[in-house]
Amino acid sequence: MRRSMKKGLSLFLLSLGVSGLMAQINEFKIDVQQMGAPIQSTMYGIFFEDINFGADGGLYAELIKNRSFEFENPLGGWVPFGNVTIQTKSPCFDRNPHYARLSYNKELTGTGLDNEGFKGIGIKAGEKYDFSFYARTVTNAPIKFRINLVNSEHDIYEAKELEISGKEWKKYSVVLTPEATEAHSRLRITMLTQGTADLEHISLFPQKTFNNRPNGMRADLAQALKDLKPGVFRFPGGCIVEGTNLATRYQWKNTVGPVENRPININRWNYTFPYKKFPDYYQSYGLGFFEYFQLSEDIGAEPLPVLNCGLSCQYENDDPNENCAVDKLQPYIDDALDLIEFANGPVTSKWGKLRADMGHAAPFNLKFIAIGNEQWGTLFTERLEPFVKAIRAKYPEINVVGSSGPQAEGEDFDFLWPEMKRMKVDLVDEHFYRSPEWFLKGAKRYDSYDRNGPKVFAGEYACHPANRENSFLTALCEAAFMTGFERNADVVHICTYAPLFAHVDAWQWRPDLIWFDNLSLVKTPNYYVQQLYGHNAGTNVVPLSMKNEPVTGQNDLYATAAVDKNTNELIIKIANTGIQHRRVKLDLNGLSGKHKGTLTLLHASDLEAKNTICAPNQVVPVVSDVELDAPAAEVVLSPLSFSVYRIHM
């Protein structure tokens, strides 16, 4: 037996030498006539945080790093040649005051700037790219520039010329159409005529963004999100909401308005892990709250923004001066109230007008808002409470999300849940990054939760094996665990895997749902588990039991059932975490005769199987037609598999 299979046996607590298991029949009783709790449309969602270069260099389609020269090192990402300086006098944009001054007289090298992009610039042959900058001349005569795309071998494969004139800032643009595909190209700007010029906000954007939106999203990555059929989209994090200090916290008002004048912020994942430090990791805020709301709309998900509660990250900063005093919280509370107005307010309101001015006159119909990420203790609760009271008073229709802290159990968790009940928040955000064993045991986690308290938002979760990789093992454990979400749909209203994205050449954290490079992406086995749940959520839970108990690991099986009243279908999800085939008799109360449907199977014989950029289809769902003979049908489950039966009733 291969090592991976032996490891799998250990992880799943299986025993060797078991015989006759295939002959044993497991009987599932499913009562189609007993309609259970509704499954919320938000149930299976996605969580976005700008980690692993998930925004700039990832989902946000801008290809130029440090386009406004605002990094701590203003020339970070740029290689200047010739006479280049950074200036701030009479800037084009007051919140991005730095710009580059280029002077060319007679130097042999010429004068210009060369940008490396994000681990290179990904360019596809025949695609059109919009290049632009803001510029002015310092000397009197017009100045001509050459714009090049240069491949990794320094060969030039696209060149255009652009002339600027006048001493007032103006925007100039040209379309580049490279004839080659290159994952690690560079952008080069060279002065062709003598003189001095100032350049600012240098941008290179693919014309083909998701839904062809200007300042939009990278098309393939955003489409992968839509293909999950998410019910909710949580943004912008995560730990970046907190910041390491109050100055570096995420402030949504800095992310709206003209994109050229949004100030940048250092990303806390720039420095959090010393062994994975990225000094060039900043947030341009080109992907801001307007774009997040718009993307939520585009992928059909409810937006769920998370705002700072007045605390810096409690892991990173224990300086009490870096927490806002409770009696000085009003500006933070105002930010929350103003955000709701930005999302939902009429165009006659201050923030509703800004939304309309940005191109979206209709409200975004925000229903949820989360205050704080994973803070804990009285530091959190004494700050959360005034937020809850203020939001309830002005916007009683908004669902407020609290938190149970960073752990899934323990002292902080036990303190926070009663506090969340006392404050009457609508949902409580739980986080758990745990081992495969924990996930399997946790399938019954919510069976004993209070049915009358706040609902659960499983806001960040992922199965973490010792090597922290996206293997089939982790996906199968998550599939088994998620049967507990669905079975307890009266308690669990939202769940979102985390993190979402990772650049293969620039990541700090794993596992992640989607990996990508500058040209392509790979969907992990975990992605397909999330997709199978998202596409097969159903509208109502129906009882499924074996020997009058929920199926939560007996004989390595985990199962749940639901009906979709819209399509009149029965949906059965079963994870078989063992190495044996399993015979299952389906006792389908309420059905008779033959019923056709489909089986979608996610399976791998190797628990360590994974999808990669070079081999993206090692573990993918396979769909086949099935026919069940009700009320007593029988199915055979593949070992190490997640099966989704969708049966016409």
Side-chain angles (χ1 to χ4, degrees):
M1 182 174 290
R2 288 181 297 173
R3 176 184 299 176
S4 62
M5 292 302 294
K6 290 181 180 179
K7 177 183 177 183
L9 293 179
S10 174
L11 286 170
F12 285 94
L13 308 178
L14 300 174
S15 60
L16 294 173
V18 177
S19 62
L21 289 178
M22 179 57 184
Q24 179 181 346
I25 295 181
N26 304 274
E27 184 173 353
F28 290 0
K29 292 186 178 296
I30 302 173
D31 192 344
V32 176
Q33 292 184 324
Q34 188 177 335
M35 199 71 66
I39 298 169
Q40 302 298 310
S41 62
T42 56
M43 177 63 120
Y44 304 111
I46 50 180
F47 158 66
F48 178 84
E49 176 159 10
D50 188 3
I51 189 173
N52 307 315
F53 284 80
D56 293 300
L59 182 61
Y60 183 51
E62 173 65 78
L63 297 171
I64 301 302
K65 182 193 295 179
N66 191 19
R67 61 187 176 185
S68 292
F69 307 100
E70 296 295 332
F71 285 11
E72 185 175 356
N73 168 17
L75 284 169
W78 296 94
V79 176
F81 52 96
N83 187 351
V84 179
T85 59
I86 298 297
Q87 307 285 328
T88 58
K89 186 178 180 180
S90 300
C92 188
F93 306 107
D94 63 300
R95 296 203 292 178
N96 287 321
H98 293 84
Y99 57 88
R101 174 161 289 176
L102 285 66
S103 297
Y104 171 45
N105 185 13
K106 59 181 180 180
E107 58 265 29
L108 292 175
T109 60
T111 289
L113 290 162
D114 189 291
N115 191 272
E116 66 183 4
F118 299 92
K119 303 300 179 183
I121 297 174
I123 297 295
K124 295 183 178 180
E127 299 287 336
K128 296 183 183 298
Y129 296 84
D130 291 326
F131 170 84
S132 64
F133 58 36
Y134 288 80
R136 66 184 177 191
T137 61
V138 177
T139 47
N140 292 322
I143 296 174
K144 187 174 291 187
F145 289 86
R146 182 173 61 237
I147 315 300
N148 292 133
L149 289 172
V150 183
N151 69 14
S152 55
E153 303 298 323
H154 295 277
D155 300 319
I156 294 173
Y157 59 99
E158 170 64 322
K160 290 287 176 66
E161 293 186 2
L162 193 155
E163 184 176 88
I164 71 168
S165 61
K167 297 189 177 182
E168 299 297 323
W169 288 105
K170 289 186 290 187
K171 184 176 183 179
Y172 298 86
S173 61
V174 67
V175 176
L176 306 180
T177 310
E179 296 181 355
T181 296
E182 172 64 48
H184 300 100
S185 64
R186 303 175 68 91
L187 175 81
R188 184 172 297 162
I189 304 169
T190 307
M191 297 182 73
L192 296 180
T193 52
Q194 294 185 3
T196 299
D198 296 333
L199 304 184
E200 162 67 306
H201 196 83
I202 302 171
S203 174
L204 183 65
F205 236 94
Q207 288 188 358
K208 284 187 178 179
T209 60
F210 185 62
N211 284 2
N212 296 314
R213 294 193 180 280
N215 195 54
M217 305 301 111
R218 182 172 141 175
D220 60 338
L221 296 184
Q223 185 63 49
L225 300 186
K226 185 175 182 179
D227 290 345
L228 286 166
K229 201 175 181 181
V232 72
F233 181 41
R234 175 188 171 206
F235 58 84
C239 291
I240 64 167
V241 171
E242 303 160 3
T244 302
N245 53 36
L246 292 180
T248 58
R249 75 187 190 278
Y250 195 102
Q251 300 181 62
W252 77 265
K253 289 176 180 175
N254 287 340
T255 77
V256 294
V259 66
E260 299 89 348
N261 204 26
R262 301 177 189 175
I264 73 160
N265 189 22
I266 191 169
N267 191 306
R268 61 90 45 85
W269 300 113
N270 174 308
Y271 49 80
T272 298
F273 299 133
Y275 56 89
K276 278 280 190 180
K277 182 174 173 58
F278 287 90
D280 59 345
Y281 202 177
Y282 289 76
Q283 298 167 297
S284 72
Y285 287 150
L287 172 51
F289 262 52
F290 177 85
E291 289 77 22
Y292 282 125
F293 279 118
Q294 186 170 254
L295 179 60
S296 300
E297 194 172 78
D298 285 347
I299 63 177
E302 296 283 357
L304 200 169
V306 186
L307 297 187
N308 186 284
C309 67
L311 291 176
S312 299
C313 178
Q314 289 173 269
Y315 280 119
E316 298 290 327
N317 198 327
D318 57 7
D319 181 355
N321 295 318
E322 286 300 339
N323 297 326
C324 179
V326 176
D327 61 358
K328 296 181 180 178
L329 271 178
Q330 195 57 48
Y332 293 78
I333 295 171
D334 289 342
D335 279 349
L337 299 176
D338 291 344
L339 176 63
I340 297 171
E341 181 178 289
F342 176 76
N344 294 353
V347 297
T348 53
S349 64
K350 175 183 176 181
W351 295 102
K353 180 180 184 304
L354 177 59
R355 181 194 70 240
D357 290 345
M358 295 182 70
H360 201 285
F364 283 116
N365 195 26
L366 176 68
K367 299 182 180 73
F368 302 90
I369 190 167
I371 305 301
N373 173 45
E374 53 182 22
Q375 280 77 31
W376 63 86
T378 56
L379 280 175
F380 174 50
T381 56
E382 65 187 6
R383 286 164 177 79
L384 175 62
E385 192 156 12
F387 277 91
V388 175
K389 290 179 178 178
I391 295 169
R392 292 278 188 252
K394 190 168 184 179
Y395 297 107
E397 73 281 6
I398 296 294
N399 292 282
V400 179
V401 182
S403 174
S404 62
Q407 306 300 330
E409 60 275 314
E411 181 180 351
D412 294 322
F413 181 90
D414 292 340
F415 167 73
L416 284 171
W417 253 103
E419 284 292 283
M420 297 302 105
K421 292 179 180 179
R422 180 183 64 81
M423 291 184 215
K424 294 182 171 60
V425 302
D426 297 288
L427 297 105
V428 178
D429 185 6
E430 294 189 353
H431 294 181
F432 26 88
Y433 300 108
R434 294 290 189 271
S435 69
E437 294 89 344
W438 187 95
F439 268 80
L440 293 181
K441 291 177 182 178
K444 60 182 73 173
R445 175 183 178 90
Y446 296 107
D447 293 353
S448 57
Y449 264 50
D450 181 0
R451 307 339 252 186
N452 299 313
K455 303 308 178 184
V456 170
F457 168 32
E460 296 183 30
Y461 68 91
C463 180
H464 281 193
N467 62 13
R468 296 281 294 272
E469 292 187 353
N470 285 100
S471 63
F472 179 67
L473 164 65
T474 63
L476 186 58
C477 289
E478 288 155 7
F481 179 77
M482 291 174 71
T483 61
F485 287 157
E486 183 172 292
R487 184 175 60 256
N488 293 285
D490 58 327
V491 169
V492 182
H493 279 197
I494 309 174
C495 58
T496 56
Y497 179 101
L500 186 58
F501 286 121
H503 194 301
V504 296
D505 297 322
W507 58 272
Q508 297 92 1
W509 178 290
R510 69 181 182 187
D512 305 283
L513 203 64
I514 301 168
W515 290 78
F516 64 92
D517 61 17
N518 288 340
L519 292 177
S520 59
L521 63 85
V522 58
K523 299 172 180 178
T524 61
N526 315 73
Y527 174 96
Y528 290 115
V529 167
Q530 296 294 321
Q531 187 179 55
L532 286 173
Y533 271 94
H535 282 254
N536 298 283
T539 57
N540 293 82
V541 179
V542 294
L544 183 154
S545 62
M546 183 163 64
K547 297 181 179 179
N548 297 316
E549 295 289 338
V551 182
T552 58
Q554 305 95 307
N555 295 334
D556 310 314
L557 300 177
Y558 301 78
T560 183
V563 296
D564 189 330
K565 292 192 296 187
N566 298 319
T567 62
N568 196 35
E569 290 175 296
L570 170 66
I571 304 167
I572 308 169
K573 303 180 182 74
I574 312 173
N576 178 8
T577 62
I579 61 167
Q580 303 287 338
H581 286 83
R582 299 293 191 197
R583 293 174 62 195
V584 175
K585 178 185 176 183
L586 301 176
D587 184 354
L588 302 169
N589 184 45
L591 294 184
S592 62
K594 296 185 182 299
H595 293 263
K596 294 184 177 181
T598 59
L599 163 64
T600 305
L601 178 67
L602 190 68
H603 160 73
S605 58
D606 183 353
L607 287 171
E608 295 178 8
K610 56 184 67 72
N611 297 332
T612 65
I613 292 287
C614 296
N617 298 316
Q618 298 301 297
V619 184
V620 296
V622 177
V623 181
S624 59
D625 293 328
V626 295
E627 184 175 80
L628 300 185
D629 194 1
E634 186 173 307
V635 298
V636 176
L637 304 174
S638 298
L640 302 178
S641 66
F642 178 48
S643 302
V644 179
Y645 291 88
R646 195 168 185 116
I647 307 301
H648 295 287
M649 294 192 297

